[in-house]
Amino acid sequence: MTIFYNAIIYPLELLIEFFFIFFDKSFDDYGLAIIGISIVVNFLTLPLYHVAETLQRKERDTRIRLAPGIARIKAAFKGDEQYMILSTFYRQNHYHPAYALRSSVSLLIQVPFFIAAYQFLSNLVQLQGKSFFFIPNLGAPDGMLQVGSVALNVLPLVMTVINVIAGMIYTKGFPLRDKLQLYGMALLFLVLLYESPAGLVFYWTLNNVFSLGKNIFYKLKRPLPVLYILATATTLGLTAAIWIIHPTLSLANRIIFISGCLVIVFLPFILNFFRCIYSQFLVGLAEQTKQRNTIFLLSATLLFLIHGIVVPANLLSSSTIEFSFTGTVHNPLSYIATNATIFFGVWIIWPLFIYAIAKKATKATISLFLCLLSLTALANLFLFTGEYGIVSTLLQFENPSLLDATPVMMLLPLLVTLLLIVALLFLVKYKKTPLLCSLLTILVLGSFFSGVVSVITIHREYTEYAENLALADEGIDDTNEIQPVFNFSKQGKNVLFIFLDRAISSYLPFILEDIPELQEQLEGFVYYPNTVSFGNNTLHGVPAMMGGYEYTPDEINKRSNEKLVDKHNESLLVMPKLFMDAGYSVTITNPPYSNYKWEADYTPFKEYPAMKVMHHHGKFSVRYKKEHQDVLEWDVAYESDIIKKRLPIFSIFKTSFPMIRRTLYEEGRYFQKEEKPQFTDSF
């Protein structure tokens, strides 16, 4: 069921969450955000419902036309004879009883969107205690009508009334069977949503209002012009409101807003332009069923491989150890499996469903559009990667300002996309689609093998890391009792070398001044203020800090005939060996970047069994957080859950135009609801 949910429902939940955060950031009001996602979702699904209703109408008309003949056959014949004559009758009229399923297409569309909205809005803790006009609490059942000591929920009743009215208008003149189906669904939603949070019921009520409006539109003589005027007015109003409320929008965001607004305003002209493009270039492709289907399947598969496997596998393989044993996830391949399942739904299942119910002209357009998307994604991923610096395991960049695109990075990707559009149109027009299919096949195979190589790398490095942890006798069980690590002598000398990542040594006197008890505990130790790192990262800074001046970058580079990893390992041994040779007992915890592994690889120390080398990364912080859960509200699954949620948006981020990456990044939250601040950085 988890796989089914991730493939079918979760992509829709991500879509709903994206627009909810967008409208909340725009208007800082959860009620308006719910209205916003209802409008967007209904407009996006309008073409799907139009196709579904066309199929349902065809099925209904066929049933009505064949009903008298079916009734005569059933009255005159029984048993096998009736079955054989009915089968012949259906075949003569080009009908099959299975076609009756077409009457449920709109329901098949509606149910996944309902489940996605239910899952998202029912679990949205931010709605708790938030009111909106007449709704006292969006996070709980409304209870707006008090009858004696019983509080009745009004919103579900209003929702049902609107649903029934919409159904009455839509099913006017329909057979009783179709009417009962709609009224039954209205009753089912009343039962399901009666005790639900008001925010969810409000959202579904708005959907029913939209459905009512849609059914009224269908009764108009010219519904499309009216719909266009409403859509244009709504878009202009929203754009103007956001522009006024947020006067400091970045240039990239302003361009995005203006572009989106212009698309709606000039939609009739854009559609006419696409009709011209279709008549000039795509008519042949619409008739070439095999080649059209091949382009569609290869393009969808390429997009699935890029977003589902290649991007996350490249990220995780760049530092497998960092993504190992995060939260409740041990093997990082679990993240790739979840991400791949989500994008299998995004690029395979949902497009296949839309493609299956579309007409030939629409199928040709979808095929070429997916082809353009896949090629553009590859170009953005490999040609316009951007230098964004270090990214954390929570997929947050160390310096987000680097995400701002330069004018060249704004225009050049758009120019490449324009060239791709021209090339694809000419390939299709001059019947070079076999060449296009060959190119897509090569790209699919290349992406597949690239992903496989990265997956193998992750598995190998994870296995090695797990084995190293076992050898270090620390294992992965953070529930073990913590034993003393450093044992100090009461008679002899004790030397403690503290090496903290990103620590600033000049802060220490101020810390001791603020915490007198710490100063008492450290009495007898010598503080050396005149210390400096030879670099701002582990590779440059560690060797000299651990081994002295012979291991500064300049001195290491003079020994050009030796591997850098060997010189780094050698530097880690300088102090421990000097102290051990002088008769000291030596204990080392988490030697930095030992053997060029993030942690837990103690290869350099194997020759010296007297040195006690231990792995304690996270062990004390996990213990502390567990003991203080009432204060920290800490959940062991927090980190892994965040990675799973952000990874799909990160995959899209990497293949998007550089101009919109800062917007998608959204200050490190990737347009997802904020979680409780319960994560403590391990360092």
Side-chain angles (χ1 to χ4, degrees):
M1 288 304 295
T2 302
I3 293 172
F4 172 82
Y5 182 87
N6 285 340
I8 307 294
I9 309 298
Y10 192 66
L12 304 179
E13 189 179 338
L14 280 178
L15 183 73
I16 290 170
E17 184 171 14
F18 178 88
F19 282 108
F20 180 87
I21 301 300
F22 168 78
F23 285 110
D24 179 44
K25 283 175 67 68
S26 299
F27 301 108
D28 194 25
D29 188 286
Y30 290 133
L32 293 177
I34 291 171
I35 294 173
I37 60 174
S38 177
I39 292 171
V40 169
V41 168
N42 277 288
F43 269 105
L44 288 177
T45 55
L46 200 57
L48 286 178
Y49 282 119
H50 177 71
V51 174
E53 285 167 3
T54 302
L55 290 172
Q56 289 173 192
R57 192 183 309 115
K58 183 179 179 181
E59 161 62 22
R60 189 165 52 250
D61 293 344
T62 303
R63 263 194 290 118
I64 293 171
R65 180 171 56 85
L66 298 182
I70 294 171
R72 285 197 301 272
I73 292 170
K74 287 185 176 180
F77 303 98
K78 301 294 180 186
D80 291 343
E81 194 175 19
Q82 182 192 94
Y83 171 77
M84 292 173 66
I85 295 174
L86 267 178
S87 299
T88 304
F89 181 70
Y90 288 145
R91 189 167 59 253
Q92 288 173 341
N93 287 276
H94 308 289
Y95 182 77
H96 192 280
Y99 292 169
L101 293 174
R102 291 186 298 197
S103 62
S104 304
V105 173
S106 62
L107 182 62
L108 289 175
I109 297 170
Q110 195 175 20
V111 168
F113 278 93
F114 169 74
I115 296 173
Y118 186 93
Q119 182 68 18
F120 176 69
L121 291 172
S122 293
N123 298 307
L124 194 61
V125 294
Q126 284 86 345
L127 295 181
Q128 295 293 334
K130 301 294 181 181
S131 62
F132 181 69
F133 286 105
F134 54 85
I135 303 173
N137 185 357
L138 290 168
D142 62 84
M144 288 190 288
L145 184 61
Q146 194 75 27
V147 180
S149 59
V150 179
L152 296 178
N153 300 324
V154 176
L155 268 179
L157 301 174
V158 173
M159 173 195 73
T160 306
V161 170
I162 295 170
N163 206 355
V164 169
I165 294 171
M168 289 171 64
I169 295 172
Y170 177 68
T171 60
K172 187 177 180 181
F174 284 13
L176 181 62
R177 164 184 165 179
D178 296 314
K179 292 182 178 182
L180 288 176
Q181 183 182 10
L182 281 172
Y183 298 149
M185 286 300 298
L187 183 62
L188 177 63
F189 279 116
L190 172 63
V191 174
L192 287 174
L193 296 180
Y194 185 76
E195 291 293 338
S196 295
L200 173 62
V201 184
F202 180 50
Y203 167 79
W204 207 250
T205 304
L206 291 171
N207 283 4
N208 290 335
V209 170
F210 190 92
S211 179
L212 175 60
K214 181 180 65 175
N215 293 337
I216 293 172
F217 274 126
Y218 281 141
K219 303 298 180 182
L220 299 176
K221 289 183 179 179
R222 299 185 65 193
L224 288 179
V226 178
L227 182 62
Y228 167 70
I229 292 168
L230 283 174
T232 303
T234 304
T235 303
L236 289 171
L238 285 173
T239 305
I242 293 170
W243 201 282
I244 293 167
I245 295 171
H246 301 278
T248 59
L249 280 176
S250 66
L251 176 62
N253 283 341
R254 288 178 185 273
I255 292 172
I256 294 167
F257 273 116
I258 292 171
S259 301
C261 183
L262 291 178
V263 166
I264 301 298
V265 172
F266 293 104
L267 189 59
F269 304 99
I270 294 171
L271 291 175
N272 284 331
F273 174 73
F274 276 118
R275 289 191 189 101
C276 292
I277 293 291
Y278 175 79
S279 62
Q280 290 291 322
F281 296 94
L282 300 182
V283 173
L285 182 62
E287 300 301 327
Q288 296 171 337
T289 305
K290 184 178 179 181
Q291 292 183 359
R292 184 190 68 214
N293 291 345
T294 303
I295 292 172
F296 169 79
L297 290 172
L298 287 173
S299 301
T301 303
L302 183 55
L303 284 165
F304 158 67
L305 289 171
I306 293 169
H307 292 116
I309 299 174
V310 173
V311 173
N314 283 347
L315 172 71
L316 270 59
S317 64
S318 67
S319 188
T320 302
I321 293 174
E322 283 189 88
F323 288 95
S324 299
F325 303 107
T326 46
T328 56
V329 171
H330 289 182
N331 192 331
L333 291 179
S334 173
Y335 294 123
I336 297 177
T338 302
N339 197 66
T341 306
I342 292 168
F343 280 107
F344 187 79
V346 171
W347 293 123
I348 304 293
I349 295 177
W350 277 105
L352 266 175
F353 171 73
I354 296 169
Y355 191 80
I357 65 175
K359 296 179 180 178
K360 285 194 294 185
T362 308
K363 287 180 178 179
T365 306
I366 291 172
S367 297
L368 211 61
F369 179 68
L370 283 184
C371 183
L372 176 65
L373 270 184
S374 61
L375 296 176
T376 304
L378 279 175
N380 289 331
L381 180 61
F382 293 111
L383 297 181
F384 309 111
T385 54
E387 296 295 334
Y388 303 138
I390 297 170
V391 62
S392 72
T393 53
L394 294 183
L395 309 184
Q396 294 176 323
F397 289 97
E398 199 170 52
N399 187 0
S401 64
L402 296 173
L403 294 170
D404 292 324
T406 62
V408 173
M409 288 292 278
M410 283 185 180
L411 295 175
L412 197 56
L414 296 176
L415 180 61
V416 169
T417 302
L418 183 61
L419 292 174
L420 284 172
I421 292 171
V422 173
L424 288 175
L425 290 176
F426 274 94
L427 283 172
V428 171
K429 182 177 177 63
Y430 293 105
K431 299 181 179 179
K432 301 293 183 183
T433 45
L435 182 64
L436 182 58
C437 291
S438 299
L439 173 64
L440 288 171
T441 301
I442 292 169
L443 292 174
V444 165
L445 290 173
S447 299
F448 174 76
F449 287 115
S450 171
V452 167
V453 169
S454 296
V455 165
I456 291 171
T457 301
I458 293 168
H459 179 69
R460 185 185 67 248
E461 292 183 355
Y462 165 76
T463 303
E464 183 182 348
Y465 177 52
E467 290 172 354
N468 285 336
L469 284 177
L471 288 172
D473 198 29
E474 288 297 313
I476 57 175
D477 184 6
D478 55 26
T479 62
N480 292 339
E481 284 295 318
I482 295 176
Q483 301 299 326
V485 179
F486 299 101
N487 297 285
F488 294 135
S489 169
K490 292 183 178 180
Q491 291 81 29
K493 274 188 175 181
N494 293 294
V495 179
L496 183 65
F497 180 69
I498 303 175
F499 187 10
L500 296 179
D501 192 9
R502 305 188 189 194
I504 300 175
S505 62
S506 55
Y507 287 170
L508 186 61
F510 299 102
I511 294 171
L512 296 179
E513 188 178 315
D514 287 346
I515 311 174
E517 57 268 30
L518 183 61
Q519 189 169 3
E520 291 174 11
Q521 291 175 14
L522 296 177
E523 186 179 354
F525 287 95
V526 178
Y527 161 60
Y528 295 92
N530 188 26
T531 56
V532 65
S533 171
F534 278 91
N536 63 348
N537 54 49
T538 307
L539 276 176
H540 295 140
V542 164
M545 293 293 284
M546 298 294 288
Y549 288 99
E550 291 179 17
Y551 296 93
T552 61
D554 285 341
E555 293 300 317
I556 277 184
N557 286 339
K558 289 177 183 177
R559 297 158 58 184
S560 58
N561 60 333
E562 299 176 45
K563 288 183 179 180
L564 197 55
V565 62
D566 294 334
K567 291 179 278 189
H568 184 98
N569 288 343
E570 188 180 289
S571 71
L572 299 180
L573 286 165
V574 172
M575 270 198 294
K577 194 169 184 307
L578 286 172
F579 277 100
M580 188 178 70
D581 292 345
Y584 283 82
S585 170
V586 176
T587 299
I588 307 148
T589 58
N590 301 88
Y593 216 42
S594 175
N595 205 34
Y596 277 9
K597 294 294 191 302
W598 188 257
E599 61 185 21
D601 188 324
Y602 306 142
T603 301
F605 303 91
K606 286 181 180 177
E607 293 182 39
Y608 307 97
M611 296 180 188
K612 189 177 181 183
V613 188
M614 304 176 72
H615 172 266
H616 273 81
H617 183 190
K619 203 160 183 68
F620 295 97
S621 58
V622 167
R623 170 77 173 264
Y624 180 86
K625 286 184 282 190
K626 281 191 171 183
E627 290 178 352
H628 297 81
Q629 286 190 40
D630 56 330
V631 179
L632 297 173
E633 295 184 342
W634 180 73
D635 180 6
V636 69
Y638 175 79
E639 188 176 8
S640 52
D641 288 347
I642 288 291
I643 295 171
K644 285 179 181 177
K645 279 179 64 65
R646 290 178 179 171
L647 201 52
I649 311 300
F650 181 82
S651 294
I652 294 171
F653 161 90
K654 290 290 287 183
T655 59
S656 63
F657 290 115
M659 180 174 63
I660 66 172
R661 286 175 187 167
R662 182 69 183 264
T663 304
L664 282 175
Y665 181 68
E666 205 251 322
E667 300 174 0
R669 292 188 293 270
Y670 294 93
F671 277 91
Q672 294 177 331
K673 63 178 183 288
E674 290 189 54
E675 304 292 339
K676 290 183 288 186
Q678 57 194 10
F679 180 75
T680 304
D681 284 332
S682 55
F683 78 82

